[in-house]
Amino acid sequence: MAENRPLYLGPRLRRLRRELGLTQLAMADDLEISPSYVALLERNQRPVTADMLLRLAKTYRLDIADIAGDDGEDYARRLTDVLRDPIFADIDLPKLEVADLATSFPGVSEALLRLHQAYTREAQALAEQRAAGPMADENEPVREAQRFLAANRNYFHALDTRAEELAGEIEKAGGATEWLAVKAVRVRFLPPDVLMDSLRRFDRHNQQLLIADTLDHASRAFQIATHIAHTALRSEIKQTIRADSFSSRTTATLLLRALAGYAAAAIVMPYGRFARAADQRRYDIDALCALFGASFEQVAHRLTTLQRPGEERVGFFFIRVDEAGNVSKRLDGAGFPFAAHGGGCPLWSVHQVFRRPGEIVPQWLELPGGERFFSIARTVTGGAAGYGGARVVRAVALACAAEQAGRLVYAGGTDPAGAPTTPIGVTCRLCQRAECTARSVPPIGRDVLADDYRRAAQPYTFAES
Protein backbone atom coordinates (compact mmCIF):
# COMPACT_ATOMS: atom_id res chain seq x y z
CA MET A 1 0.00 0.00 0.00
CA ALA A 2 1.36 3.43 -0.91
CA GLU A 3 2.65 5.52 1.96
CA ASN A 4 0.27 8.35 2.92
CA ARG A 5 2.34 11.24 4.26
CA PRO A 6 2.13 15.06 4.10
CA LEU A 7 3.84 16.74 1.16
CA TYR A 8 6.10 19.64 2.12
CA LEU A 9 7.47 21.64 -0.83
CA GLY A 10 8.59 24.89 0.80
CA PRO A 11 11.98 25.44 -0.88
CA ARG A 12 10.67 24.15 -4.24
CA LEU A 13 7.64 26.46 -4.08
CA ARG A 14 9.79 29.46 -3.16
CA ARG A 15 12.18 28.69 -6.02
CA LEU A 16 9.27 28.37 -8.45
CA ARG A 17 7.84 31.72 -7.35
CA ARG A 18 11.18 33.48 -7.83
CA GLU A 19 11.76 31.86 -11.22
CA LEU A 20 8.34 33.21 -12.28
CA GLY A 21 9.26 36.66 -10.95
CA LEU A 22 6.34 36.75 -8.53
CA THR A 23 5.90 38.21 -5.06
CA GLN A 24 4.07 36.20 -2.41
CA LEU A 25 1.10 38.55 -2.85
CA ALA A 26 1.00 37.97 -6.62
CA MET A 27 1.16 34.19 -6.22
CA ALA A 28 -1.56 34.33 -3.58
CA ASP A 29 -3.82 36.24 -6.02
CA ASP A 30 -3.09 33.69 -8.77
CA LEU A 31 -3.92 30.75 -6.50
CA GLU A 32 -6.82 32.52 -4.73
CA ILE A 33 -5.31 32.06 -1.28
CA SER A 34 -3.92 34.47 1.32
CA PRO A 35 -0.30 35.74 1.20
CA SER A 36 0.20 34.45 4.74
CA TYR A 37 -0.73 30.96 3.55
CA VAL A 38 1.87 31.19 0.77
CA ALA A 39 4.44 32.17 3.39
CA LEU A 40 3.47 29.18 5.56
CA LEU A 41 3.79 26.83 2.58
CA GLU A 42 7.24 28.21 1.74
CA ARG A 43 8.43 27.77 5.31
CA ASN A 44 7.21 24.16 5.36
CA GLN A 45 4.74 25.05 8.11
CA ARG A 46 1.84 23.77 6.01
CA PRO A 47 1.80 20.75 3.66
CA VAL A 48 0.80 21.11 0.04
CA THR A 49 -2.60 19.47 -0.46
CA ALA A 50 -3.68 17.61 -3.58
CA ASP A 51 -6.01 20.51 -4.44
CA MET A 52 -3.16 23.03 -4.08
CA LEU A 53 -0.90 20.85 -6.21
CA LEU A 54 -3.52 20.81 -9.00
CA ARG A 55 -3.97 24.60 -8.73
CA LEU A 56 -0.22 25.15 -9.10
CA ALA A 57 -0.04 22.87 -12.13
CA LYS A 58 -3.06 24.44 -13.83
CA THR A 59 -2.25 28.07 -13.02
CA TYR A 60 1.36 27.96 -14.16
CA ARG A 61 0.99 25.17 -16.76
CA LEU A 62 3.46 22.88 -15.06
CA ASP A 63 3.74 19.12 -14.82
CA ILE A 64 2.68 17.85 -11.39
CA ALA A 65 5.74 15.61 -11.26
CA ASP A 66 7.99 18.66 -11.66
CA ILE A 67 6.30 20.37 -8.72
CA ALA A 68 5.92 17.42 -6.40
CA GLY A 69 9.42 16.01 -6.67
CA ASP A 70 10.98 15.35 -3.29
CA ASP A 71 13.52 18.07 -2.47
CA GLY A 72 14.56 16.17 0.63
CA GLU A 73 15.57 13.12 -1.37
CA ASP A 74 17.43 15.28 -3.89
CA TYR A 75 19.31 17.13 -1.14
CA ALA A 76 20.10 13.85 0.62
CA ARG A 77 21.53 12.39 -2.59
CA ARG A 78 23.64 15.48 -3.32
CA LEU A 79 24.84 15.77 0.27
CA THR A 80 25.80 12.09 0.30
CA ASP A 81 27.87 12.60 -2.85
CA VAL A 82 29.57 15.67 -1.37
CA LEU A 83 30.31 13.95 1.93
CA ARG A 84 32.26 11.26 0.08
CA ASP A 85 34.99 13.85 -0.41
CA PRO A 86 38.22 12.69 1.30
CA ILE A 87 38.26 15.86 3.37
CA PHE A 88 35.36 14.37 5.40
CA ALA A 89 36.80 10.85 5.60
CA ASP A 90 37.49 10.96 9.35
CA ILE A 91 34.01 12.21 10.29
CA ASP A 92 31.23 9.78 11.24
CA LEU A 93 28.25 10.78 9.04
CA PRO A 94 25.37 8.30 9.39
CA LYS A 95 22.94 8.21 6.47
CA LEU A 96 20.03 8.90 8.79
CA GLU A 97 21.61 12.18 9.99
CA VAL A 98 22.25 13.25 6.40
CA ALA A 99 18.64 12.47 5.48
CA ASP A 100 17.34 14.38 8.50
CA LEU A 101 19.47 17.42 7.59
CA ALA A 102 18.29 17.36 3.97
CA THR A 103 14.60 17.05 4.91
CA SER A 104 14.43 19.32 7.93
CA PHE A 105 17.00 21.98 7.03
CA PRO A 106 17.02 22.53 3.25
CA GLY A 107 18.56 26.00 3.65
CA VAL A 108 21.52 24.67 5.63
CA SER A 109 21.87 21.85 3.08
CA GLU A 110 22.02 24.36 0.23
CA ALA A 111 24.62 26.44 2.08
CA LEU A 112 26.85 23.37 2.53
CA LEU A 113 26.46 22.41 -1.13
CA ARG A 114 27.43 25.91 -2.30
CA LEU A 115 30.48 26.01 -0.07
CA HIS A 116 31.68 22.63 -1.28
CA GLN A 117 31.10 23.59 -4.90
CA ALA A 118 33.17 26.76 -4.47
CA TYR A 119 35.87 24.79 -2.66
CA THR A 120 36.18 22.13 -5.39
CA ARG A 121 36.29 24.69 -8.21
CA GLU A 122 38.99 26.75 -6.54
CA ALA A 123 40.97 23.63 -5.61
CA GLN A 124 40.88 22.54 -9.23
CA ALA A 125 41.99 25.95 -10.47
CA LEU A 126 44.87 25.98 -7.97
CA ALA A 127 45.90 22.48 -8.96
CA GLU A 128 45.92 23.40 -12.64
CA GLN A 129 48.02 26.47 -11.91
CA ARG A 130 50.57 24.46 -9.96
CA ALA A 131 50.66 21.73 -12.58
CA ALA A 132 51.47 24.29 -15.23
CA GLY A 133 54.48 25.44 -13.22
CA PRO A 134 55.51 28.85 -11.89
CA MET A 135 56.54 30.12 -15.32
CA ALA A 136 53.20 29.31 -16.96
CA ASP A 137 52.13 32.91 -16.42
CA GLU A 138 54.63 35.37 -17.87
CA ASN A 139 53.49 38.00 -15.38
CA GLU A 140 54.35 35.96 -12.32
CA PRO A 141 57.39 38.16 -11.49
CA VAL A 142 55.07 41.17 -11.53
CA ARG A 143 52.76 39.57 -8.97
CA GLU A 144 55.75 38.52 -6.85
CA ALA A 145 57.05 42.09 -6.85
CA GLN A 146 53.59 43.38 -5.93
CA ARG A 147 53.42 40.93 -3.03
CA PHE A 148 56.79 42.18 -1.76
CA LEU A 149 55.63 45.81 -1.85
CA ALA A 150 52.30 44.90 -0.20
CA ALA A 151 54.06 42.93 2.56
CA ASN A 152 55.99 46.10 3.42
CA ARG A 153 52.88 48.28 3.05
CA ASN A 154 54.87 50.18 0.43
CA TYR A 155 57.07 51.80 3.07
CA PHE A 156 60.84 51.23 3.34
CA HIS A 157 62.22 53.03 6.36
CA ALA A 158 65.97 52.92 5.69
CA LEU A 159 65.50 53.99 2.08
CA ASP A 160 63.02 56.74 2.93
CA THR A 161 65.09 58.30 5.71
CA ARG A 162 68.28 58.26 3.60
CA ALA A 163 66.39 59.86 0.71
CA GLU A 164 65.13 62.56 3.06
CA GLU A 165 68.71 63.31 4.15
CA LEU A 166 69.78 63.43 0.52
CA ALA A 167 66.92 65.83 -0.28
CA GLY A 168 68.32 68.17 2.38
CA GLU A 169 71.77 68.06 0.76
CA ILE A 170 70.25 68.76 -2.67
CA GLU A 171 68.31 71.72 -1.31
CA LYS A 172 71.47 73.18 0.22
CA ALA A 173 73.27 72.79 -3.12
CA GLY A 174 70.56 74.82 -4.86
CA GLY A 175 68.78 71.98 -6.64
CA ALA A 176 69.32 68.56 -8.20
CA THR A 177 71.15 69.89 -11.27
CA GLU A 178 73.58 71.84 -9.11
CA TRP A 179 74.07 68.87 -6.76
CA LEU A 180 74.97 66.68 -9.74
CA ALA A 181 77.34 69.36 -11.05
CA VAL A 182 79.30 69.07 -7.78
CA LYS A 183 79.56 65.33 -8.59
CA ALA A 184 80.94 66.28 -12.02
CA VAL A 185 77.73 65.22 -13.81
CA ARG A 186 76.24 67.60 -16.36
CA VAL A 187 72.48 67.58 -17.08
CA ARG A 188 71.38 68.20 -20.67
CA PHE A 189 67.92 68.32 -22.24
CA LEU A 190 67.82 66.92 -25.76
CA PRO A 191 65.21 65.86 -28.35
CA PRO A 192 63.97 62.26 -28.02
CA ASP A 193 65.35 61.25 -31.42
CA VAL A 194 68.85 62.19 -30.25
CA LEU A 195 68.26 60.01 -27.19
CA MET A 196 67.06 57.17 -29.43
CA ASP A 197 63.52 57.57 -28.04
CA SER A 198 64.65 57.37 -24.42
CA LEU A 199 63.34 59.61 -21.69
CA ARG A 200 66.54 59.41 -19.65
CA ARG A 201 70.03 58.15 -20.48
CA PHE A 202 73.29 58.43 -18.60
CA ASP A 203 76.36 58.92 -20.79
CA ARG A 204 79.07 57.44 -18.57
CA HIS A 205 81.90 58.34 -20.95
CA ASN A 206 81.11 62.04 -20.89
CA GLN A 207 79.48 62.05 -17.43
CA GLN A 208 76.29 63.54 -18.81
CA LEU A 209 72.71 62.89 -17.75
CA LEU A 210 70.57 63.29 -20.85
CA ILE A 211 66.86 64.04 -20.40
CA ALA A 212 64.21 64.27 -23.15
CA ASP A 213 63.30 67.93 -23.64
CA THR A 214 59.67 67.01 -24.41
CA LEU A 215 59.01 66.13 -20.75
CA ASP A 216 57.16 68.62 -18.57
CA HIS A 217 58.81 70.16 -15.50
CA ALA A 218 57.51 67.54 -13.05
CA SER A 219 58.66 64.64 -15.24
CA ARG A 220 62.09 66.20 -15.78
CA ALA A 221 62.57 66.62 -12.02
CA PHE A 222 61.46 63.07 -11.39
CA GLN A 223 63.80 61.59 -14.01
CA ILE A 224 66.74 63.48 -12.51
CA ALA A 225 65.77 62.26 -9.04
CA THR A 226 65.52 58.71 -10.38
CA HIS A 227 69.09 58.91 -11.68
CA ILE A 228 70.24 60.16 -8.28
CA ALA A 229 68.41 57.25 -6.63
CA HIS A 230 70.07 54.72 -8.94
CA THR A 231 73.51 56.11 -8.10
CA ALA A 232 73.59 57.72 -4.64
CA LEU A 233 71.09 55.27 -3.09
CA ARG A 234 72.03 52.12 -4.95
CA SER A 235 73.45 50.35 -1.90
CA GLU A 236 70.30 51.05 0.16
CA ILE A 237 68.06 49.78 -2.65
CA LYS A 238 70.16 46.63 -3.12
CA GLN A 239 70.13 45.97 0.61
CA THR A 240 66.34 46.24 0.70
CA ILE A 241 66.01 43.72 -2.12
CA ARG A 242 68.58 41.33 -0.61
CA ALA A 243 66.45 41.11 2.53
CA ASP A 244 64.17 38.69 0.67
CA SER A 245 64.55 35.91 -1.88
CA PHE A 246 62.71 35.73 -5.20
CA SER A 247 61.92 33.05 -7.73
CA SER A 248 63.50 34.90 -10.67
CA ARG A 249 65.96 37.64 -11.53
CA THR A 250 63.13 39.45 -13.30
CA THR A 251 61.40 40.00 -9.95
CA ALA A 252 64.56 41.54 -8.50
CA THR A 253 64.92 43.75 -11.59
CA LEU A 254 61.33 44.94 -11.30
CA LEU A 255 61.85 45.74 -7.63
CA LEU A 256 65.07 47.60 -8.38
CA ARG A 257 63.10 49.84 -10.72
CA ALA A 258 60.18 50.19 -8.29
CA LEU A 259 62.39 51.11 -5.35
CA ALA A 260 64.36 53.59 -7.43
CA GLY A 261 61.04 55.26 -8.25
CA TYR A 262 60.13 55.13 -4.56
CA ALA A 263 63.42 56.80 -3.62
CA ALA A 264 63.01 59.41 -6.36
CA ALA A 265 59.61 60.36 -4.96
CA ALA A 266 61.13 60.55 -1.46
CA ILE A 267 63.80 62.93 -2.79
CA VAL A 268 61.29 65.20 -4.58
CA MET A 269 58.77 64.97 -1.71
CA PRO A 270 60.75 64.41 1.55
CA TYR A 271 58.71 62.54 4.16
CA GLY A 272 58.49 65.07 6.99
CA ARG A 273 57.76 68.10 4.84
CA PHE A 274 55.40 66.22 2.56
CA ALA A 275 53.45 64.58 5.41
CA ARG A 276 52.95 67.92 7.15
CA ALA A 277 51.81 69.54 3.92
CA ALA A 278 49.39 66.67 3.27
CA ASP A 279 47.78 67.26 6.67
CA GLN A 280 47.67 71.04 6.25
CA ARG A 281 46.16 70.85 2.76
CA ARG A 282 43.79 68.01 3.69
CA TYR A 283 45.33 65.75 1.07
CA ASP A 284 44.47 68.14 -1.76
CA ILE A 285 46.56 66.54 -4.50
CA ASP A 286 46.54 69.54 -6.85
CA ALA A 287 47.78 71.78 -4.04
CA LEU A 288 50.55 69.29 -3.21
CA CYS A 289 51.50 69.15 -6.90
CA ALA A 290 52.04 72.91 -6.88
CA LEU A 291 54.02 72.85 -3.62
CA PHE A 292 56.44 70.13 -4.67
CA GLY A 293 56.55 70.54 -8.44
CA ALA A 294 55.26 67.01 -8.96
CA SER A 295 52.56 65.45 -11.13
CA PHE A 296 49.17 64.19 -9.97
CA GLU A 297 50.25 60.56 -10.28
CA GLN A 298 53.56 61.16 -8.47
CA VAL A 299 51.79 62.80 -5.53
CA ALA A 300 49.09 60.11 -5.41
CA HIS A 301 51.80 57.44 -5.43
CA ARG A 302 53.74 59.18 -2.66
CA LEU A 303 50.62 59.38 -0.47
CA THR A 304 50.56 55.57 -0.27
CA THR A 305 53.99 55.56 1.40
CA LEU A 306 53.20 57.70 4.46
CA GLN A 307 53.49 54.83 6.95
CA ARG A 308 56.58 55.80 8.96
CA PRO A 309 56.25 54.34 12.50
CA GLY A 310 54.93 57.04 14.82
CA GLU A 311 54.28 59.40 11.90
CA GLU A 312 51.63 57.47 9.97
CA ARG A 313 49.10 59.35 7.90
CA VAL A 314 46.01 58.16 6.01
CA GLY A 315 46.54 54.72 4.51
CA PHE A 316 45.81 54.63 0.80
CA PHE A 317 45.36 52.00 -1.88
CA PHE A 318 46.60 53.12 -5.31
CA ILE A 319 45.79 51.66 -8.70
CA ARG A 320 46.52 52.67 -12.28
CA VAL A 321 44.55 51.19 -15.19
CA ASP A 322 44.23 51.77 -18.91
CA GLU A 323 41.00 52.06 -20.90
CA ALA A 324 40.93 48.27 -21.41
CA GLY A 325 41.05 47.72 -17.63
CA ASN A 326 44.63 46.44 -17.56
CA VAL A 327 46.34 47.20 -14.25
CA SER A 328 49.84 48.63 -14.68
CA LYS A 329 50.46 49.66 -11.06
CA ARG A 330 48.95 48.64 -7.74
CA LEU A 331 50.10 49.66 -4.26
CA ASP A 332 48.28 48.93 -1.03
CA GLY A 333 48.59 50.83 2.20
CA ALA A 334 44.90 50.61 3.11
CA GLY A 335 44.09 46.89 3.14
CA PHE A 336 41.90 47.24 0.05
CA PRO A 337 41.11 43.81 -1.45
CA PHE A 338 41.79 43.61 -5.16
CA ALA A 339 41.69 40.44 -7.27
CA ALA A 340 45.03 39.25 -8.63
CA HIS A 341 43.20 37.68 -11.56
CA GLY A 342 40.22 38.91 -13.55
CA GLY A 343 38.80 42.36 -14.11
CA GLY A 344 37.85 44.82 -11.43
CA CYS A 345 34.34 46.07 -10.78
CA PRO A 346 33.03 48.37 -13.56
CA LEU A 347 30.94 50.23 -10.99
CA TRP A 348 34.11 51.72 -9.49
CA SER A 349 34.69 55.20 -10.93
CA VAL A 350 38.31 54.44 -11.86
CA HIS A 351 36.89 52.63 -14.90
CA GLN A 352 34.53 55.51 -15.78
CA VAL A 353 36.68 58.64 -15.52
CA PHE A 354 37.93 58.23 -19.09
CA ARG A 355 34.63 59.90 -20.04
CA ARG A 356 35.51 62.84 -17.76
CA PRO A 357 39.21 63.52 -18.51
CA GLY A 358 41.11 65.57 -15.96
CA GLU A 359 38.21 65.68 -13.48
CA ILE A 360 38.63 64.30 -9.95
CA VAL A 361 35.68 62.00 -9.21
CA PRO A 362 35.00 61.11 -5.53
CA GLN A 363 33.02 57.98 -4.63
CA TRP A 364 31.96 56.11 -1.50
CA LEU A 365 32.34 52.34 -1.92
CA GLU A 366 30.95 49.32 -0.10
CA LEU A 367 32.28 45.78 -0.62
CA PRO A 368 30.14 42.64 -0.29
CA GLY A 369 31.49 42.00 3.20
CA GLY A 370 30.30 45.44 4.37
CA GLU A 371 33.75 47.11 4.31
CA ARG A 372 33.44 50.77 3.30
CA PHE A 373 36.04 52.88 1.49
CA PHE A 374 36.30 56.37 0.03
CA SER A 375 37.86 56.74 -3.40
CA ILE A 376 38.96 59.47 -5.78
CA ALA A 377 39.82 58.79 -9.42
CA ARG A 378 41.19 60.87 -12.27
CA THR A 379 42.77 60.40 -15.68
CA VAL A 380 46.49 61.07 -16.15
CA THR A 381 48.39 61.48 -19.39
CA GLY A 382 51.89 60.36 -20.25
CA GLY A 383 54.09 60.00 -23.29
CA ALA A 384 55.75 62.37 -25.71
CA ALA A 385 54.68 66.01 -25.92
CA GLY A 386 54.29 67.80 -29.21
CA TYR A 387 52.06 67.34 -32.21
CA GLY A 388 51.81 63.72 -33.34
CA GLY A 389 53.52 62.43 -30.23
CA ALA A 390 52.28 59.17 -28.74
CA ARG A 391 50.18 60.03 -25.69
CA VAL A 392 48.97 57.43 -23.22
CA VAL A 393 45.87 58.10 -21.13
CA ARG A 394 45.37 56.08 -17.96
CA ALA A 395 43.22 56.40 -14.85
CA VAL A 396 44.54 56.42 -11.31
CA ALA A 397 42.57 55.99 -8.11
CA LEU A 398 43.28 56.39 -4.42
CA ALA A 399 41.09 54.68 -1.83
CA CYS A 400 41.14 54.88 1.95
CA ALA A 401 39.03 53.41 4.73
CA ALA A 402 35.74 55.31 5.07
CA GLU A 403 36.47 56.29 8.67
CA GLN A 404 39.58 58.19 7.52
CA ALA A 405 37.84 60.03 4.69
CA GLY A 406 36.98 63.00 6.90
CA ARG A 407 40.63 64.05 6.71
CA LEU A 408 40.36 64.48 2.94
CA VAL A 409 39.14 67.66 1.29
CA TYR A 410 37.34 65.54 -1.32
CA ALA A 411 34.89 64.05 1.21
CA GLY A 412 33.35 67.49 1.71
CA GLY A 413 32.59 66.95 5.39
CA THR A 414 30.20 64.07 4.64
CA ASP A 415 29.52 61.73 7.55
CA PRO A 416 30.93 58.33 6.47
CA ALA A 417 28.17 56.50 8.33
CA GLY A 418 25.45 58.20 6.32
CA ALA A 419 27.20 58.59 2.97
CA PRO A 420 25.44 56.96 0.00
CA THR A 421 27.72 54.16 -1.19
CA THR A 422 28.19 52.36 -4.48
CA PRO A 423 28.14 48.58 -3.98
CA ILE A 424 31.17 47.11 -5.75
CA GLY A 425 32.87 43.72 -5.78
CA VAL A 426 36.50 42.67 -5.86
CA THR A 427 35.76 40.78 -9.07
CA CYS A 428 32.58 39.25 -10.50
CA ARG A 429 33.75 35.71 -9.74
CA LEU A 430 33.96 36.53 -6.03
CA CYS A 431 30.97 38.87 -5.72
CA GLN A 432 27.69 37.26 -4.64
CA ARG A 433 25.46 40.30 -5.27
CA ALA A 434 22.70 38.67 -7.29
CA GLU A 435 21.03 41.95 -8.27
CA CYS A 436 24.06 43.53 -10.02
CA THR A 437 23.27 44.60 -13.59
CA ALA A 438 26.96 45.18 -14.42
CA ARG A 439 27.99 41.55 -13.81
CA SER A 440 30.11 39.92 -16.54
CA VAL A 441 30.27 36.32 -15.27
CA PRO A 442 28.41 34.30 -12.60
CA PRO A 443 30.05 34.08 -9.16
CA ILE A 444 31.75 30.94 -7.97
CA GLY A 445 29.40 28.42 -6.40
CA ARG A 446 26.11 29.62 -7.92
CA ASP A 447 23.98 27.83 -10.52
CA VAL A 448 22.37 30.01 -13.18
CA LEU A 449 18.63 29.84 -13.82
CA ALA A 450 17.20 29.51 -17.31
CA ASP A 451 15.03 32.40 -18.49
CA ASP A 452 12.13 30.27 -19.76
CA TYR A 453 9.58 32.18 -17.64
CA ARG A 454 11.37 35.40 -16.82
CA ARG A 455 14.23 37.54 -18.10
CA ALA A 456 15.57 39.66 -15.27
CA ALA A 457 17.27 43.04 -15.63
CA GLN A 458 20.57 41.58 -14.43
CA PRO A 459 22.57 39.31 -16.77
CA TYR A 460 22.11 36.24 -14.58
CA THR A 461 19.62 35.01 -12.01
CA PHE A 462 20.69 32.31 -9.60
CA ALA A 463 19.07 29.18 -8.32
CA GLU A 464 18.71 28.53 -4.64
CA SER A 465 19.54 24.85 -5.10
Side-chain angles (χ1 to χ4, degrees), residues 122-137:
E122 288 304 290
Q124 182 180 0
L126 182 60
E128 289 173 353
Q129 181 180 337
R130 287 178 175 172
M135 296 309 292
D137 185 349

Side-chain angles (χ1 to χ4, degrees), residues 201 248 276 326:
R201 184 167 69 85
S248 72
R276 288 191 296 273
N326 299 306

Side-chain angles (χ1 to χ4, degrees), residues 60-141:
Y60 300 117
R61 298 181 181 180
L62 299 171
D63 191 290
I64 289 179
D66 292 336
I67 304 172
D70 192 338
D71 269 341
E73 288 184 3
D74 180 58
Y75 273 130
R77 176 186 56 78
R78 293 169 63 193
L79 282 171
T80 300
D81 290 340
V82 162
L83 295 173
R84 290 194 184 102
D85 192 303
I87 197 172
F88 305 119
D90 60 339
I91 303 175
D92 184 23
L93 299 165
K95 289 185 178 180
L96 184 59
E97 289 186 11
V98 175
D100 285 344
L101 174 65
T103 303
S104 304
F105 303 99
V108 175
S109 300
E110 174 59 25
L112 291 173
L113 291 169
R114 285 190 195 176
L115 283 172
H116 187 264
Q117 188 177 32
Y119 158 76
T120 53
R121 288 180 183 175
E122 288 304 290
Q124 182 180 0
L126 182 60
E128 289 173 353
Q129 181 180 337
R130 287 178 175 172
M135 296 309 292
D137 185 349
E138 63 181 1
N139 291 322
E140 179 61 26

Side-chain angles (χ1 to χ4, degrees), residues 22 25-33 55 59-60:
L22 301 174
L25 178 60
M27 178 171 271
D29 287 342
D30 289 346
L31 299 175
E32 298 180 354
I33 58 177
R55 281 198 218 184
T59 303
Y60 300 117

